[in-house]
Amino acid sequence: MTLKDEQKTDSGYTSSVNLSSLADKEGIVLTFLRPAGTVEIDGMVYDVVSEGRFVEPGARIRVLSVNGNRIVVRAIEELK
C-alpha cells in the first residue's frame, strides 16, 4: 500500500510554522541565553540561540537570521 497524494507547501501543507517574518525584529531576553534560551518578540515567546555569547535576562536583542525553526539573535549593544 502506498500513499499517492502529496502534501505540498503550495497546497497549504506545512511541517512547521514559518518564522521568517521575525528577521530583523527586536525583543527582550526572558532567560539566560547560554547560548540557547527564550526571548519575547511582539508579545510571543520563542526559543532562540545567541551567536555564542551569554546574554542576560532583560537585554534587548535583534534577530539576525531564521533558518527553519532556528532563530539566531544578538544583543543590541553588541551591534554597535
Side-chain angles (χ1 to χ4, degrees):
M1 180 162 72
T2 60
L3 179 64
K4 295 183 181 190
D5 293 336
E6 294 179 348
Q7 296 179 342
K8 296 182 179 180
T9 302
D10 58 352
S11 298
Y13 294 99
T14 59
S15 61
S16 64
V17 176
N18 184 355
L19 300 173
S20 62
S21 64
L22 294 176
D24 292 323
K25 290 209 174 195
E26 295 182 6
I28 300 289
V29 176
L30 298 177
T31 64
F32 280 101
L33 303 185
R34 298 184 180 182
T38 58
V39 300
E40 181 180 333
I41 302 170
D42 293 339
M44 298 290 293
V45 176
Y46 298 96
D47 291 323
V48 302
V49 179
S50 72
E51 283 191 307
R53 297 180 182 231
F54 288 1
V55 182
E56 294 189 14
R60 294 198 52 77
I61 53 87
R62 176 169 291 136
V63 177
L64 297 179
S65 66
V66 179
N67 186 4
N69 65 352
R70 181 181 167 92
I71 304 168
V72 180
V73 301
R74 182 185 293 168
I76 289 179
E77 55 271 6
E78 294 180 19
L79 294 172
K80 296 177 182 178

